[in-house]
Amino acid sequence: MAGLSTARIGQHVIAHDEVVSTQPLAHEAAAKGAQEGTLVLAEQQTGGKGRLGRPWHSPKGTGIWMSLIVRPAIPLPKTPQMTLLTAVTVARTIREETGLPVKIKWPNDIFIGDKKVCGVLTELNAESDRVNYLVIGIGLNANSVQADFPEELLSIATSLRIESGTPIKRVSFIQRFCQNFEEEYDHYLRAGFARVKQEWEANSYSIGRWVTVQTISQKLEGQAIGLDEEGVLMVEDRAGQIHKVYSADVNYRAN
Ligand code: BT5
């Protein structure tokens, strides 16, 4: 990408017009040895995906639909931290590029007000207990207008353009994202998770809210109180007991 001052992130870009999803294309590229920092971008996805097989609406030309390949030398249990690092980086980039007040909803959503503007999907490729690579998918509604959203998303989704009243420059957004990501990622690899945790908590939509958490084994109600040192969400129930939520769907509700 011209004008990009990173060492790795965004130095190789694979740009497509229409794809089913950038995620499998990034996996293919990574399996063939694509360098760390390679970005797969598309103008449109016909089968964009979220977590747990959910669809991600990705119409032509309105969004930033991209998958980033990274190869962090971290133990497998720490890989969810990369989702939080990415969310922190996207949120910072949105603030810097638009001034909009963004919040991070655990674990992978970026919100403006009570609407989702961006989602992150991290997929792992590992051999025994070694991380081979991660594909981090980022779907950001950049320049969508209301009419770009299907009926079922109208009340839950928004875009940077809707919120700020002006279209954003997608290339300059991606460049700034790459710079911010590389800076945060290098710091994380050198010094650990503490700075990501601090920035995540400072910009959290989740902390202080009452949540219902459905895990495979239990349904839990309580207040989200923060992240532990590893990036796991801590939820305090009415009896004052603290539960750690690793990977589950968190629903928010009024007290
Ligand atoms: C996510 O999943 O939020 C992760 C989204 C990742 C999308 C990127 S785009 C580039 C890369 N290629 C892919 O195919 N995927 C990644 P999840 O938390 O499961 O949220 C999915 C839910 O968000 C859906 O069930 C809808 O309710 C809602 N949703 C779908 N499309 C949306 C959109 N464009 N904006 C806001 N919300 C949306």
Side-chain angles (χ1 to χ4, degrees), residues 19-24 40-42 45 47-59 62 64-68 107-111 115-123 135-141 144 148-150 152-153 156-159 249:
V19 300
V20 175
S21 160
T22 54
Q23 292 290 98
V40 180
L41 293 167
Q45 300 185 115
K49 56 179 183 169
R51 294 176 305 148
L52 310 168
R54 291 190 280 247
W56 183 258
H57 180 66
S58 327
T62 60
I64 293 175
W65 323 128
M66 65 184 180
S67 298
L68 173 65
N108 71 323
D109 294 342
I110 311 288
F111 265 45
K115 291 182 173 177
K116 179 162 168 170
V117 72
C118 176
V120 178
L121 170 67
T122 305
E123 294 176 330
V135 170
I136 304 176
I138 297 159
L140 171 69
N141 302 318
S144 345
D148 293 318
F149 291 113
E152 70 273 15
L153 292 182
I156 58 170
T158 190
S159 76
D249 258 348

